[in-house]
Amino acid sequence: MKKFIGLLKLEFKRIFSNSVLMAIFFGAPIGYGILFGYVYQQAKVKDLPIVIVDQDQSPATDKIIDAFEDNEGLHVKDVRPVPGNIKSEMPSNQYIAVITLPNGFEKDLLQKKHPEVRVDLNMANILNANTASNQINTVLMTINAGIEIEGLKKQGLHPDQAMASYESFKINFNKLYNSTGNYVTFMLPGLLAAIMQQIIFLAMALVFSRDFEDGYFGKLVKESKSSIYHILLKATPFLLMLPFMWLIISLLLSFFNVGVDILNLPMLVLTTLLTFASMFIGMLFSIAIPSQLKATELLMVISTPAFILSGFTWPTSAIPELITNVAHFIPVTQYLSGFRKVAFYGGDLASIGPEIRVLVGIIIVAIVAMAVLLQVKINRLAKISNNQLD
């Protein structure tokens, strides 16, 4: 035991002597967590710039313009009588939409000719375009309803009758689980989980490959020829440091008021399994590829698209089955699936049973594979050393 503690102290020295590893391990979760938190801090997309081309310049169009100016999701950047060269302005001014109120709009309204309001959407950013489209539609439908009801009132109907005649039925949306549509609540936990998987991958990719490159592994083999011993030795420092990093992540979620329940047993189990699965996959690559650069590059290939393929933001039903089958065995995919069940839907351990089973399977396969592969390398190195002595 004393020998193991001595080697453990050397492991800590070697880890902390690698400034790049330390910057990634401690800096990435904190730095990216704060960065992404402030990016999504506004919680909703607001003040999307629009241009209104008011060709009619009548009281009716003035009323519509006022309604757009009162909408918090839209910002009326300009009102003009003619479009001008709006197509060339849109890229530089980032207008999300151009709304054209045609000439004779009010007259056609009064004559029941149903004038057309043209909306040109900037689809370069689909999220902004969809948000703007919903907001514009809400404003115009509200104005449209108001005009119809006023018309019925002028025909002699009582206001209540006019309202009832226009509205055959009412629609009441009850938003669940993220009722405010808060982007911090939606995006930040998933992004931080993906970042944690990535930094664990990168950190563990160096633990054995570095030893192979600088010859330190030969010294370790003289201390023990058991692969399990060396795996435990390399994993222990990170098992001591990673809970501290997860604590920082939970504090970041609290700081940015992410309204989800993460302090519970199912979440602890999920986080623990993600940690072990990511660690052992990283260590497996570190053993299989005796080059720090190549090991980290290959793990980056896996981890970079992991968040997109996880189904957290884009539904897996819209992704080709071959790709989803591969993504199924990336730890963060299972973690984020379970995270949503626990944090948003209030699920228990039974509800995340499928995710737990896959993560445990990944851990077992990775442990067996790296134990066998490392033992082969230890035996080969010991054989070479014996031949040299003979």
Side-chain angles (χ1 to χ4, degrees), residues 114-135:
H114 304 288
E116 180 181 286
V117 175
R118 175 171 168 170
V119 179
D120 295 298
L121 278 176
N122 181 351
M123 296 297 291
N125 185 318
I126 293 176
L127 172 64
N128 287 346
N130 287 339
T131 303
S133 177
N134 290 335
Q135 297 290 349

Side-chain angles (χ1 to χ4, degrees), residues 28 46 56 124 144 180 184 188-189 214 230 255 263 269 275 318 329 361:
K46 296 180 180 180
D56 194 43
N144 193 26
T180 60
V184 174
L188 191 59
D214 63 15
H230 292 291
F255 178 77
L263 301 177
V269 171
T275 302
F329 297 103

Side-chain angles (χ1 to χ4, degrees), residues 70-89:
D70 290 339
N71 185 285
E72 70 168 359
L74 303 170
H75 172 59
V76 180
K77 197 88 178 221
D78 188 21
V79 178
R80 59 182 72 171
V82 292
N85 197 5
I86 193 72
K87 204 166 186 179
S88 64
E89 293 178 41

Side-chain angles (χ1 to χ4, degrees), residues 25-26 29-30 188-200 238-254 262-263 267-279 331-332 335-336 339:
F25 190 81
F26 292 106
I30 299 171
L188 191 59
L191 286 170
L192 289 178
I195 290 166
M196 283 299 293
Q197 175 186 258
Q198 187 157 324
I199 66 113
I200 295 171
F238 293 96
L239 290 175
L240 295 174
M241 292 188 291
L242 281 168
F244 173 71
M245 297 310 301
W246 281 113
L247 175 62
I248 291 175
I249 295 298
S250 66
L251 292 175
L252 283 172
L253 294 178
S254 298
I262 56 172
L263 301 177
M267 193 61 69
L268 176 63
V269 171
L270 269 178
T271 303
T272 302
L273 291 176
L274 172 68
T275 302
F276 278 112
S278 301
M279 283 180 61
V332 79
Y335 178 82
L336 292 178
F339 177 89

Side-chain angles (χ1 to χ4, degrees), residues 1 20 48 59-60 73 110 137 179 235 255 258 300 322 345 349:
M1 188 63 183
V20 175
L48 292 169
L110 295 173
N137 190 56
S179 58
F255 178 77
V258 176
M300 281 292 288
L322 177 62
Y345 304 147
L349 282 173

Side-chain angles (χ1 to χ4, degrees), residues 265-342:
L265 179 60
M267 193 61 69
L268 176 63
V269 171
L270 269 178
T271 303
T272 302
L273 291 176
L274 172 68
T275 302
F276 278 112
S278 301
M279 283 180 61
F280 295 147
I281 289 174
M283 291 176 77
L284 177 60
F285 273 73
S286 184
I287 294 167
I289 305 165
S291 164
Q292 296 181 75
L293 180 60
K294 289 181 180 179
T296 53
E297 285 177 343
L298 284 171
L299 281 169
M300 281 292 288
V301 170
I302 295 173
S303 61
T304 299
F307 180 71
I308 297 171
L309 301 180
S310 68
F312 193 74
T313 56
W314 184 254
T316 53
S317 58
I319 302 174
E321 188 175 354
L322 177 62
I323 297 175
T324 56
N325 288 340
V326 173
H328 187 72
F329 297 103
I330 299 176
V332 79
T333 299
Q334 299 301 324
Y335 178 82
L336 292 178
S337 173
F339 177 89
R340 182 166 283 163
K341 291 179 182 179
V342 175

